[in-house]
Amino acid sequence: MADPRKTRSDDPHSRWDKADNPIYRIPPYYYIHVMDQNSNVTRIELGPQTFVRQDNQRVTLGPEKMIIVPPRHYCTIENPVCRDKDGNVVVDRLGQIKLKHAELEIRLAQDPFPLYPGEILRHPVTALTVVQSNSALKILAVLDFKDGDVDRAAGDVWLFEGPGTYIPKKETVVKETVRATVIGPNQAIKLRATKEFEDRDGNLRVTGEEWLVKQTGAYLPGVFEEVVDIVKAYVLTETKALHVRALKSFKDDFGVERKNGEEWLITMDDSEAHIPGVYEEVVGVVNITTLTNRQYAVILDPVGADGKPQLGQKKLVRGEKSFFLLPGEKLEKGIQNIYILGEDEGLVLRAIEQFKDGVSQRSPGDRWMIRGPLEYVPPVEIEVVMKRKAIPLDLNEGIYVRDIKTGKVRAITGATYMIKEDEELWEKELPETVEELIISERDPKSERYATKGQDSKSKTRDKTRVVTFRVPHNAAVQIYDYKDKKSRVVFGPELVMLGPDEQFTVLSLSGGKPKKNHAIKALCLLLGPDFATDIITVETADHARLSLQLAYNWYFEVTGKTPEESAKLFSVPDFVGDSCKAIASRVRGAVAQVTFDDFHKNSAKIIRSSVFGFKDGKVGSHLTFSQNNLVITNVDIQSVEPVDQRTRDSLQKSVQLAIEITTNSQEATARHEAERLEQEAKGRLERQKIMDEAEAEKSRRELLELQANSAAVESTGQAKAEAQSRAEAARIEGEAAVQQAKLKAEAQTIEAESDLQRLTQARTAELAYLKEQNIMEIEKTTELTTIEVNKFRQMVESIGSGTLLAMATAGPDMQVRMLQALGLKSTLITDGTTPVNLFNTASGLIGDLVPSKRRRREKKEEEEESDSFA
């Protein structure tokens, strides 16, 4: 069906404007607005009709479709027309339709109607609001009106509760939709009054007042009620109670008057579930405290019989028992176990207030000890200071104990001991170096076994235990008592146990090569035999400086273990450094008196004689230091190296020359032996060749004999065979000639075709192959060229201009250094007539080696490239 609002002007074939068309076809339920330009009055024309526009008329709207309001819908019209009591539209004397300006009209389901001139569709056609059950609309009156029998004033608010359909009015506005809150079991909702009113139960509520609604089901808040929160009930059990505090003076659910700030417990005996009121604050859930028959607890500030806390008092509760801690009560140290003491255990007790303990009167601060076996629960007047247990000690174990009254410290060893109430364990402090040496338990023989700075703090020492140290075999330890001002020396193997006032004597020895002071820390002194290595620098009579590495064998000569002899061992703090310095001074003095050649030939004799001296015309066997009975028994010369570079180079050249002479001799001997073996091999080869030729001649003679015999047999039957064969051959030849001619013709045809096809395919494949090969060779050559260029660029960049310059001048520089090493500044080699420069001679002998190798390498690369292109 065509749109009735279209006129002839809508036709694409029509070229004249719609405003020029005076004819308007108005379909049913359509309308137009026509304005008389003479009177400026606008009227409405309803369809169906055909309206012919006059010259003084203008269509201002339309054709427009009438507004259709379906059932259960509505719309809002602004500036509605005025109607009389019969429902007819009222017009003025000029024919203009009268309007209710600035007013609204709600129109419900009715027949289709047009919009008169001046009317505005403020709210389109909309479905009516359906209010469900358990919900409501909050309505606000914006104008005074009468709602049935109720007079509404502007600003009134009320609820339209469902289920129902809300019919809007022009005097009201829907503020919001209110939904009911479902109250489940053990739940309540907290409401707050937004205005003074009377609730549904008839209670007068003031603004800001809060209360609870506990009835199970759906609750729809009133117009002046605000849902603050949903409060859940606390379920109380036999092991849980509720700690509540009053926020205001009120009467609780159990009818008890509560004061502001009062705290109390609600247990299962009061209610199985409790919903806190609006003036109740839940401090927390209190769990029941259960004590077994082996436990006890001390309650601070217990609640008395009158329900008030007794501040500052204590109450002892012993199990078996279960109870809730009332508000204000707390456990002093939680639930504590009863002290069960064995035969080797005890408790140190202290009185914190005056009381009578049986027949004894205890004063505050008194200390005493009780011993097991027993069970003990301390009263509130007693404080348990500590629990002590007897310490079992072996013969090699001990502890330090200090009397807290006198301050005296003593060591207890080899017995089980329980510390008394007036005693305590005492910690013996040792120097950090001694701590490390004791904990590490290493054998300080020399620098090989005692490394300075080794981390040994991974272990910790119990400072209350008696310090023990195992003295190894053939070693000694010195211990000094600072209280008695005496020292003692213990020889190993032995276990040393330090007293409270005793300390180890720490040895600080030299170590390393050459020797450095304070490199080795040790507690025990090894008596040897052992060795020490040192590096010293000496200078000969002709001022040649040499570095000697010497090893000395030493031991301590202990003739008797008397205190005087024993203390003599520790009289020299650093015997290693002192002995090495003394020996080094002797060696330097002896070497300074001889030349380098003499020392090079007789180094061992010179050094040993300087250290041990001469006795009866012979070198001595030992050196004894009388200060500490240190005996040096042997000197081992491990290495002798010149310090000066020139001397070292000269010595190296002489050694190389001797090696070169030996090498040439061995090469000549090997060459002579190789020539001899070669001649012997050639003789054996010639002899074998002669024998092989003799065997070949013998075989040839036998062959000739067999050929003669076969020729005789062949001549006898040749004639007969030739006759028969000629006849048969003639017949076969005739038949074969005909067949051969046919087959030859066919074969030539096939062969020509196959040759032509084969040649064609071969030429095509060869051309494709050559083309692909040429392309691959071009790509290969391009990539190789790129690689070589990049390689050369990267080599030049990595080597650097400085390195290239050094490589370019390496040959002349090497020649100059070689001549300088020979001690020559300029040399001429001549036969008497023509002088030759030594630099050119060196260039010819040595410098041409590198260019010749380079030329061979370049030639080899050119041959490989030519082979690849071929």
Side-chain angles (χ1 to χ4, degrees):
M1 180 177 180
D3 191 350
R5 290 177 290 180
K6 289 185 179 180
T7 60
R8 187 178 298 174
S9 61
D10 297 328
D11 189 1
H13 299 287
S14 179
R15 299 301 180 190
W16 48 280
D17 188 77
K18 181 178 179 181
D20 297 335
N21 185 13
I23 301 174
Y24 287 84
R25 293 178 177 85
I26 306 173
Y29 300 112
Y30 279 78
Y31 66 96
I32 62 173
H33 289 176
V34 181
M35 185 180 69
D36 189 343
Q37 294 183 351
N38 293 332
S39 61
N40 284 332
V41 174
T42 303
R43 72 177 188 274
I44 188 170
E45 294 291 339
L46 304 177
Q49 66 169 323
T50 300
F51 176 74
V52 179
R53 179 178 58 82
Q54 302 299 325
D55 291 339
N56 63 337
Q57 294 177 345
R58 183 168 64 88
V59 176
T60 59
L61 180 66
E64 292 291 334
K65 190 176 182 180
M66 295 183 181
I67 297 175
I68 301 174
V69 182
R72 303 189 65 78
H73 286 70
Y74 76 99
C75 66
T76 305
I77 305 298
E78 186 179 359
N79 302 329
V81 298
C82 296
R83 297 180 183 271
D84 56 13
K85 60 182 180 179
D86 296 330
N88 298 321
V89 177
V90 179
V91 297
D92 58 6
R93 60 183 180 83
L94 298 177
Q96 180 70 34
I97 299 173
K98 287 186 176 183
L99 302 175
K100 300 177 183 178
H101 293 283
E103 288 194 10
L104 297 176
E105 181 180 347
I106 306 297
R107 295 182 184 178
L108 302 176
Q110 56 183 292
D111 295 335
F113 61 91
L115 289 178
Y116 288 90
E119 290 184 337
I120 300 173
L121 181 62
R122 172 57 62 86
H123 195 284
V125 177
T126 308
L128 293 173
T129 302
V130 178
V131 182
Q132 303 293 336
S133 58
N134 294 331
S135 62
L137 297 179
K138 184 180 288 188
I139 310 300
L140 172 66
V142 296
L143 296 173
D144 296 342
F145 74 102
K146 189 170 184 179
D147 184 11
D149 297 335
V150 181
D151 293 331
R152 302 290 187 184
D156 287 350
V157 182
W158 69 95
L159 291 181
F160 178 82
E161 299 184 5
T165 302
Y166 174 69
I167 307 298
K169 296 180 177 60
K170 65 179 182 179
E171 298 87 357
T172 61
V173 175
V174 178
K175 295 290 290 181
E176 60 178 336
T177 300
V178 181
R179 301 189 183 276
T181 303
V182 178
I183 304 174
N186 293 329
Q187 285 184 345
I189 59 173
K190 182 187 291 187
L191 301 177
R192 181 187 295 123
T194 59
K195 182 181 178 182
E196 185 175 350
F197 75 105
E198 186 176 341
D199 64 5
R200 296 180 181 178
D201 297 333
N203 299 320
L204 182 62
R205 303 295 182 182
V206 298
T207 304
E209 182 181 357
E210 294 181 355
W211 69 98
L212 295 180
V213 177
K214 301 181 181 179
Q215 291 82 2
T216 304
Y219 181 80
L220 186 64
V223 65
F224 300 116
E225 295 177 352
E226 177 186 3
V227 177
V228 179
D229 192 10
I230 297 178
V231 183
K232 294 184 179 180
Y234 288 87
V235 178
L236 305 177
T237 62
E238 294 180 353
T239 60
K240 289 184 179 181
L242 198 62
H243 184 186
V244 183
R245 181 188 296 122
L247 301 177
K248 180 182 176 183
S249 298
F250 72 105
K251 181 182 291 186
D252 62 6
D253 296 342
F254 308 106
V256 181
E257 289 289 342
R258 300 296 182 183
K259 302 296 181 181
N260 187 8
E262 182 180 354
E263 297 182 6
W264 68 97
L265 283 184
I266 300 176
T267 62
M268 189 178 178
D269 298 336
D270 301 324
S271 175
E272 294 182 355
H274 179 69
I275 301 176
V278 293
Y279 302 119
E280 295 178 353
E281 178 187 5
V282 177
V283 179
V285 177
V286 180
N287 295 320
I288 195 170
T289 303
T290 303
L291 302 177
T292 64
N293 57 354
R294 317 305 296 168
Q295 293 176 336
Y296 73 97
V298 177
I299 302 176
L300 301 178
D301 303 331
V303 176
D306 55 353
K308 296 181 180 181
Q310 301 174 4
L311 300 178
Q313 296 189 13
K314 297 181 180 180
K315 179 181 178 182
L316 177 64
V317 181
R318 182 170 180 175
E320 252 175 65
K321 191 173 184 181
S322 297
F323 60 93
F324 289 104
L325 286 177
L326 299 177
E329 294 182 343
K330 59 182 179 180
L331 298 181
E332 183 178 18
K333 295 181 181 179
I335 299 176
Q336 304 179 61
N337 294 322
I338 295 175
Y339 290 96
I340 300 176
L341 304 179
E343 294 182 355
D344 57 343
E345 293 178 331
L347 286 179
V348 179
L349 306 178
R350 180 172 57 195
I352 57 178
E353 61 181 80
Q354 188 172 2
F355 74 102
K356 189 173 183 179
D357 183 14
V359 296
S360 302
Q361 186 71 25
R362 302 291 185 183
S363 299
D366 287 352
R367 288 170 61 106
W368 70 98
M369 175 183 283
I370 60 173
R371 297 175 179 268
L374 57 83
E375 294 182 2
Y376 184 73
V377 177
V380 295
E381 299 86 2
I382 295 177
E383 176 188 8
V384 177
V385 178
M386 67 183 66
K387 182 179 180 180
R388 286 180 174 172
K389 187 174 182 179
I391 302 174
L393 301 174
D394 196 5
L395 294 176
N396 296 330
E397 294 179 333
I399 57 174
Y400 297 111
V401 178
R402 178 175 178 268
D403 193 324
I404 62 177
K405 292 182 178 180
T406 62
K408 184 179 179 180
V409 181
R410 58 195 179 98
I412 299 174
T413 59
T416 301
Y417 185 77
M418 178 181 289
I419 302 174
K420 300 177 182 179
E421 64 272 10
D422 296 330
E423 294 177 343
E424 63 179 1
L425 291 175
W426 180 74
E427 294 184 354
K428 182 178 179 59
E429 297 293 340
L430 295 177
E432 184 178 357
T433 304
V434 178
E435 288 278 4
E436 293 178 359
L437 294 175
I438 291 177
I439 294 175
S440 62
E441 295 183 357
R442 57 194 179 195
D443 185 10
K445 287 186 176 180
S446 64
E447 60 270 23
R448 298 174 308 202
Y449 299 98
T451 304
K452 183 178 181 181
Q454 181 177 354
D455 186 11
S456 60
K457 295 183 179 180
S458 58
K459 301 179 181 178
T460 57
R461 178 181 65 88
D462 187 358
K463 297 182 180 181
T464 61
R465 291 279 179 167
V466 171
V467 179
T468 60
F469 183 77
R470 294 177 177 85
V471 183
H473 177 71
N474 200 23
V477 173
Q478 186 181 37
I479 302 170
Y480 187 79
D481 192 333
Y482 286 90
K483 184 177 181 180
D484 298 337
K485 300 188 183 324
K486 295 180 181 179
S487 63
R488 59 189 177 98
V489 178
V490 179
F491 292 91
E494 185 64 58
L495 180 67
V496 177
M497 302 179 69
L498 291 187
D501 300 311
E502 291 181 338
Q503 292 288 346
F504 287 106
T505 299
V506 181
L507 299 177
S508 181
L509 306 179
S510 299
K513 295 182 294 185
K515 295 301 181 185
K516 296 180 181 179
N517 295 332
H518 310 295
I520 303 174
K521 301 293 183 180
L523 293 181
C524 61
L525 175 66
L526 295 180
L527 303 180
D530 204 339
F531 68 93
T533 306
D534 192 12
I535 297 176
I536 62 175
T537 302
V538 299
E539 186 173 355
T540 61
D542 51 358
H543 303 291
R545 301 180 74 248
L546 304 175
S547 176
L548 307 180
Q549 182 171 339
L550 306 178
Y552 317 121
N553 291 353
W554 58 267
Y555 72 94
F556 283 97
E557 185 176 4
V558 181
T559 57
K561 295 184 180 181
T562 61
E564 292 77 11
E565 291 291 333
S566 301
K568 195 175 182 181
L569 297 175
F570 293 87
S571 60
V572 180
D574 185 6
F575 73 93
V576 176
D578 293 347
S579 61
C580 289
K581 289 178 182 178
I583 296 174
S585 65
R586 293 191 178 192
V587 173
R588 290 192 191 98
V591 175
Q593 299 175 6
V594 298
T595 62
F596 174 73
D597 292 337
D598 294 340
F599 179 75
H600 190 65
K601 296 176 182 178
N602 305 311
S603 59
K605 182 177 179 181
I606 293 172
I607 292 174
R608 290 180 60 85
S609 62
S610 64
V611 175
F612 300 122
F614 289 94
K615 186 176 182 181
D616 298 333
K618 297 181 181 180
V619 178
S621 59
H622 63 276
L623 172 63
T624 303
F625 293 92
S626 59
Q627 293 83 358
N628 57 350
N629 292 337
L630 177 65
V631 180
I632 307 297
T633 59
N634 187 22
V635 178
D636 181 17
I637 306 171
Q638 295 181 345
S639 66
V640 178
E641 294 182 359
V643 177
D644 189 8
Q645 184 66 31
R646 294 181 179 179
T647 307
R648 188 180 302 174
D649 293 341
S650 300
L651 183 62
Q652 186 176 4
K653 287 180 181 178
S654 62
V655 173
Q656 289 179 352
L657 184 60
I659 294 173
E660 185 176 356
I661 293 172
T662 304
T663 304
N664 292 334
S665 175
Q666 292 177 354
E667 288 181 355
T669 303
R671 192 182 305 111
H672 178 72
E673 183 67 19
E675 291 177 355
R676 184 182 65 79
L677 294 176
E678 185 179 0
Q679 292 297 328
E680 291 180 357
K682 287 182 179 180
R684 288 195 298 270
L685 180 62
E686 292 294 335
R687 189 182 306 110
Q688 184 66 31
K689 187 183 294 184
I690 294 172
M691 294 175 64
D692 293 342
E693 289 179 355
E695 291 293 331
E697 290 296 332
K698 187 185 295 184
S699 300
R700 185 177 180 184
R701 186 188 64 182
E702 293 177 356
L703 177 62
L704 292 175
E705 292 177 355
L706 293 175
Q707 287 179 351
N709 294 332
S710 63
V713 176
E714 184 178 358
S715 61
T716 303
Q718 184 175 5
K720 182 178 179 179
E722 285 180 355
Q724 294 177 354
S725 62
R726 287 193 189 98
E728 186 67 23
R731 185 182 62 80
I732 295 173
E733 185 176 2
E735 294 176 354
V738 178
Q739 186 69 21
Q740 184 178 6
K742 295 180 180 179
L743 297 176
K744 189 174 183 181
E746 295 177 359
Q748 288 178 353
T749 303
I750 296 171
E751 185 177 3
E753 292 177 355
S754 62
D755 288 343
L756 178 61
Q757 185 177 2
R758 180 178 58 79
L759 288 175
T760 302
Q761 294 178 354
R763 294 295 184 269
T764 304
E766 185 176 3
L767 290 175
Y769 171 76
L770 292 176
K771 182 178 180 181
E772 293 293 330
Q773 189 175 17
N774 291 335
I775 293 173
M776 293 175 63
E777 289 295 332
I778 292 171
E779 293 178 352
K780 178 181 177 183
T781 305
T782 304
E783 293 178 356
L784 288 175
T785 304
T786 304
I787 292 171
E788 290 296 330
V789 170
N790 294 333
K791 177 182 176 182
F792 184 77
R793 183 184 297 109
Q794 294 175 1
M795 288 175 62
V796 171
E797 292 175 355
S798 62
I799 294 174
S801 60
T803 307
L804 292 176
L805 179 60
M807 292 172 61
T809 60
D813 292 342
M814 182 184 68
Q815 297 169 7
V816 172
R817 287 196 299 270
M818 182 178 67
L819 293 178
Q820 292 176 352
L822 295 175
L824 301 177
K825 294 184 178 179
S826 64
T827 303
L828 294 177
I829 302 174
T830 177
D831 55 359
T833 60
T834 305
V836 179
N837 197 320
L838 183 59
F839 289 103
N840 296 333
T841 302
S843 175
L845 295 175
I846 301 175
D848 292 343
L849 180 61
V850 176
S852 61
K853 290 184 179 179
R854 185 183 298 111
R855 286 195 297 272
R856 287 198 298 270
R857 185 170 64 254
E858 292 177 352
K859 184 177 180 181
K860 185 176 180 182
E861 292 178 354
E862 291 177 356
E863 290 177 356
E864 291 178 353
E865 292 180 357
S866 62
D867 293 341
S868 64
F869 282 113

